[in-house]
Amino acid sequence: MAVDDSHSASFFAPWPDRLRHSAIILLAAGFALCALVLLADLSLARALAVFICIAAAALVPWRLHDGVSSREDVGAVRPVETAAVSAVVSGMPDPAVLLDRAGRVIHLNAAAAQLAPALRKNELAQFALRSPEIVTALREAIVTTEPRRASYLDQGPVDRWMELIITPVPVPTTFGGTEKCMLLTFHDQTPLRRVEEMRADFVANASHELRTPLAALSGFIDTLQGPAKEDSKARERFLSIMHAQATRMARLIDDLLSLSRVELSAHVQPESSVDIVPIIRQVADGLEPLARERQVEIEIDLPAAPVPIAGDREELLRLFENLIENALKYGASGGRVMVSLKEATAADGGPEVRVMVRDFGPGIAPEHLPRLTERFYRVDVGDSRAQGGTGLGLSLVKHILNRHRGRLLIESVPRNGATFTACFPQAKPPASA
């Protein structure tokens, strides 16, 4: 009995809604029939019969089963716009965007929003993805409903090579049909490209720079095996030179590998927070023996409080080691090297940390300043090699700063020393609970 009661209750539940929706029709029909009766064009009995037929047509529930939905009930949300489809797109590891046949954005995940911040739901993707390769591939995919691929260079703070794959996806419509949506997935090809470039650069650089020390070692070995075989004094002198050349080769290979590693991950900004004050102190303490050998005093002006930045500790150690060691080697005639840190405001208005390394040596001529960070560029080739330099130190500094989204400032006046300033974006303070 309870089942019958519930069924009858559900049957009569829509009647107030039907009556409200049909009120105007029933009122209009009632007035028209009353007018016809008063004008004697229609009998009262026939008027009542007509009114009953109109009321039945307006009020009787022709749709008796709740399982069948009307166009009005289901037309509000399309199947492709449901939360399930959004969850699938959001769960994809690569940047992904789902477009309708017209090219409007239906869903996008967080990675896609970070890659292309101009993307907006219900707006055309062509306006946000302005690369010609993307627009061409997208137009072809929409017209032909066939998969398309496109490779392009994303020029941001750090260049990235991306591959776009457009896949037509059949999606069910509200009334049993299908529509072709376009799923855009972006794959970062930067690591593969950088590995290829790293191999080519390593071979080119190694073959160029290793040729001189290898030729020297080969010549000395031939001499020791030949004319100087029994000459103990020549042997000692040649072995000392060979040791220096071998050490230079080891440093060169180490710098090349370090530079290649930094370039390989240049598009990935470090996320861990590190305090650079103890890093600078550690580097300065480690270079004290070199400073005493060159009779140079290292003056340090660092704050007592921590100065956190987002960075990689090992790379920062290498960066400050190169800057301070260069100052000790090439500015030794000034007798002192100053290392200081201060907080400043960047050109874009954001806070930044500046670490300055200044020497009081002979300085650098203005024509050399723009090229100092190039690979193997030396102001004085002979002096650089005599000091044990590889010509890669400042290039490594530049690439480490690029990865940390920083910049290198170089100031120098001939006969008045040089100042190298490493600028880092300051880490944001942790949000309070």
Side-chain angles (χ1 to χ4, degrees):
M1 190 67 181
V3 174
D4 294 339
D5 291 343
S6 62
H7 177 73
S8 60
S10 62
F11 179 81
F12 289 105
W15 279 95
D17 290 338
R18 294 192 186 98
L19 183 60
R20 185 176 68 254
H21 293 157
S22 306
I24 295 177
I25 297 175
L26 295 177
L27 286 175
F31 283 128
L33 293 173
C34 289
L36 292 175
V37 171
L38 293 177
L39 295 174
D41 289 339
L42 187 66
S43 65
L44 180 60
R46 291 181 177 180
L48 287 175
V50 172
F51 184 79
I52 291 172
C53 291
I54 295 174
L59 299 178
V60 171
W62 299 102
R63 178 169 57 86
L64 301 179
H65 300 286
D66 293 336
V68 181
S69 299
S70 67
R71 182 181 297 266
E72 180 182 354
D73 294 335
V74 301
V77 178
R78 296 185 299 164
V80 73
E81 295 179 350
T82 59
V85 178
S86 176
V88 170
V89 175
S90 299
M92 298 183 71
D94 292 322
V97 185
L98 184 64
L99 309 179
D100 62 15
R101 184 65 184 273
R104 286 186 292 267
V105 178
I106 302 175
H107 300 292
L108 73 160
N109 60 9
Q114 183 177 6
L115 178 66
L119 284 171
R120 298 287 186 274
K121 295 186 74 171
N122 300 321
E123 294 185 7
L124 291 174
Q126 291 93 325
F127 295 153
L129 305 171
R130 297 182 178 273
S131 172
E133 296 87 353
I134 297 178
V135 175
T136 301
L138 185 56
R139 287 176 178 172
E140 292 177 356
I142 291 175
V143 172
T144 63
T145 65
E146 294 180 356
R148 286 289 186 273
R149 288 175 176 262
S151 298
Y152 69 98
L153 178 63
D154 180 27
Q155 295 179 330
V158 177
D159 291 346
R160 294 193 298 175
W161 288 269
M162 305 294 295
E163 182 185 26
L164 168 65
I165 300 177
I166 305 175
T167 307
V169 180
V171 178
T173 60
T174 303
F175 303 104
T178 58
E179 65 174 321
K180 283 291 183 67
C181 294
M182 299 294 160
L183 180 63
L184 280 61
T185 52
F186 299 83
H187 303 281
D188 193 350
Q189 303 293 312
T190 307
L192 297 177
R193 291 289 191 101
R194 292 197 183 279
V195 166
E196 294 175 2
E197 292 180 356
M198 180 183 68
R199 290 173 181 170
D201 291 343
F202 184 83
V203 171
N205 295 329
S207 63
H208 178 266
E209 287 294 320
L210 292 177
R211 187 177 292 115
T212 300
L214 281 174
L217 287 174
S218 179
F220 289 133
I221 291 172
D222 292 340
T223 303
L224 290 174
Q225 290 177 339
K229 187 175 183 180
E230 304 298 334
D231 190 342
S232 59
K233 292 183 178 180
R235 183 169 60 249
E236 291 298 327
R237 183 166 63 88
F238 290 161
L239 286 175
S240 175
I241 298 174
M242 291 169 66
H243 180 268
Q245 293 292 341
T247 302
R248 178 168 173 260
M249 287 174 60
R251 288 196 53 147
L252 177 61
I253 293 173
D254 186 36
D255 284 350
L256 282 172
L257 291 175
S258 298
L259 186 58
S260 298
R261 282 193 294 267
V262 174
E263 289 181 330
L264 185 63
S265 57
H267 63 291
V268 181
Q269 183 178 4
E271 296 181 354
S272 58
S273 178
V274 294
D275 181 9
I276 62 172
V277 173
I279 293 177
I280 298 172
R281 292 190 185 277
Q282 178 182 342
V283 172
D285 292 341
L287 291 174
E288 274 296 336
L290 178 63
R292 287 195 297 269
E293 178 186 338
R294 301 298 175 95
Q295 298 181 350
V296 179
E297 181 182 358
I298 301 178
E299 301 176 3
I300 298 179
D301 182 13
L302 301 176
V307 180
I309 66 170
D312 182 288
R313 178 180 175 81
E314 295 303 319
E315 291 183 1
L316 293 174
L317 281 169
R318 196 65 182 269
L319 182 150
F320 295 126
E321 181 183 6
N322 274 296
L323 290 180
I324 299 176
E325 186 176 1
N326 281 350
L328 292 174
K329 288 180 176 179
Y330 304 110
S333 59
R336 62 190 179 113
V337 169
M338 295 179 58
V339 182
S340 60
L341 184 151
K342 70 175 184 179
E343 298 179 4
T345 302
D348 59 359
E352 68 177 5
V353 176
R354 296 182 179 179
V355 179
M356 290 170 287
V357 179
R358 181 182 179 187
D359 66 72
F360 296 85
I364 305 169
E367 62 268 19
H368 296 294
L369 296 181
R371 302 190 60 189
L372 283 180
T373 56
E374 294 180 10
R375 291 188 181 196
F376 302 115
Y377 184 82
R378 300 176 175 94
V379 175
D380 186 334
V381 177
D383 183 45
S384 175
R385 288 180 175 172
Q387 300 286 358
T390 62
L392 293 173
L394 289 179
S395 180
L396 184 59
V397 167
K398 181 189 72 173
H399 282 84
I400 292 175
L401 282 170
N402 287 344
R403 187 184 175 220
H404 287 71
R405 305 302 183 261
R407 55 201 177 99
L408 178 66
L409 305 179
I410 304 176
E411 302 174 42
S412 180
V413 177
R415 297 183 297 279
N416 196 27
T419 302
F420 292 80
T421 304
C423 305
F424 301 90
Q426 193 164 18
K428 297 180 180 179
S432 58

